[in-house]
Amino acid sequence: MISNPDRDPSSSAINASFRNHFLASVPRPVLEKLEAQLIRVDLPAGTMLLHSDREIQWLYFLERGMASVSSLDRAGAPVEVGVIGREGIVGFQSLLGQPLTHTSAIMQGSGEGYRLRADALREYTPQDADVTRLLHTFLHALLEQTTQLVLCNRLHELEARLARWLLTACDFMGTRAIHLTQEFLAEMLGVGRPAVTLAAGVLQRNGYISYSRGLVEVADPAKLEQVTCDCYGIIRNSYKRLYPTLY
């Protein structure tokens, strides 16, 4: 399952000019009040969208790319606990009345989208049923993803987890080629770099991926899917059910 970044976010999209599902589906009267405050932004790889334990001032609506949501371990190293793409909002905690979060969010690869001051949308969350429904759908998808990742990281071998991560990244980013370093990937998977090097080497020798100078390319998604655990399919099917024309 590779998503198409040029596909309309929803067949019933109200605001077809947006590729972010949330913005594309917000009721037109609400969007008209927000449009003047939306700021188009380029989001290079490594851009921090959300800082741990800092007040959330901005919401980000991705139109291309993927944000990795991380929490810190005892040593202060980030470990990925979820990813957000074109379906939702980075900084959603503010819409729940929580100005602080212990998680951070960083761009995986380059992307683009819009940012909006958090308080601009917050007033519509409890008042507009459609906005609330969109937020609940996104939160449900993210919760199911995060819950599955907890199980995956606890039970499954690194090679399967690496395959799952690469396939999920391809789905969310709409590409088979992903720019990332082994150090970054090790942080996301919560392991040391030597372990990632060994696991990536196995996948590359079997022809599932190619890796060179910070570029990982999934050569054969179908074969790579045979290596991964059931968690990839569970997460994928959840998002396909909730966002059938997006992922």
Side-chain angles (χ1 to χ4, degrees), residues 7-16 18 21 24-25 242-246:
R7 177 188 293 172
D8 284 341
S10 171
S11 58
S12 59
I14 298 173
N15 315 300
F18 292 101
H21 184 275
S25 304
L242 296 169
Y243 301 103
T245 61
L246 187 60

Side-chain angles (χ1 to χ4, degrees), residues 55-138:
E55 184 176 356
I56 301 170
Q57 297 183 341
W58 295 98
L59 305 176
Y60 288 87
F61 304 85
L62 301 187
E63 296 224 307
R64 182 172 61 85
M66 179 182 84
S68 175
V69 181
S70 302
S71 187
L72 300 180
D73 65 13
R74 291 183 180 179
V79 178
E80 187 175 80
V81 295
V83 295
I84 298 173
R86 294 187 300 126
E87 76 287 346
I89 310 170
V90 178
F92 64 88
Q93 295 92 336
S94 176
L95 302 179
L96 305 176
Q98 302 300 320
L100 297 176
T101 174
H102 292 303
T103 59
S104 60
I106 187 172
M107 285 299 297
Q108 290 273 14
S110 61
E112 59 187 352
Y114 292 91
R115 71 176 185 174
L116 176 73
R117 291 200 67 85
D119 54 7
L121 182 58
R122 192 182 300 131
E123 64 178 287
Y124 296 104
T125 305
Q127 296 178 5
D128 190 287
D130 289 325
V131 172
T132 301
R133 175 183 54 80
L134 289 169
L135 180 61
H136 286 177
T137 298
F138 164 62

Side-chain angles (χ1 to χ4, degrees), residues 125-153:
T125 305
Q127 296 178 5
D128 190 287
D130 289 325
V131 172
T132 301
R133 175 183 54 80
L134 289 169
L135 180 61
H136 286 177
T137 298
F138 164 62
L139 293 177
H140 177 67
L142 186 61
L143 179 60
E144 289 203 342
Q145 177 197 162
T146 300
T147 301
Q148 198 65 39
L149 291 184
V150 171
L151 182 149
C152 186
N153 291 335

Side-chain angles (χ1 to χ4, degrees), residues 163-226:
R164 183 262 302 159
W165 191 97
L166 291 172
L167 288 167
T168 299
C170 288
D171 292 343
F172 274 75
M173 299 175 71
T175 177
R176 294 184 184 181
I178 308 168
H179 290 275
L180 77 164
T181 64
Q182 289 191 357
E183 290 90 346
F184 189 84
L185 189 54
E187 288 183 352
M188 295 302 98
L189 293 172
V191 297
R193 180 182 173 183
V196 168
T197 300
L198 289 174
V202 172
L203 298 182
Q204 182 162 252
R205 286 193 298 274
N206 286 317
Y208 303 140
I209 67 171
S210 62
Y211 180 78
S212 178
R213 298 183 179 181
L215 178 66
V216 178
E217 185 167 359
V218 176
D220 193 328
K223 288 185 178 179
L224 188 60
E225 191 170 346
Q226 295 175 6

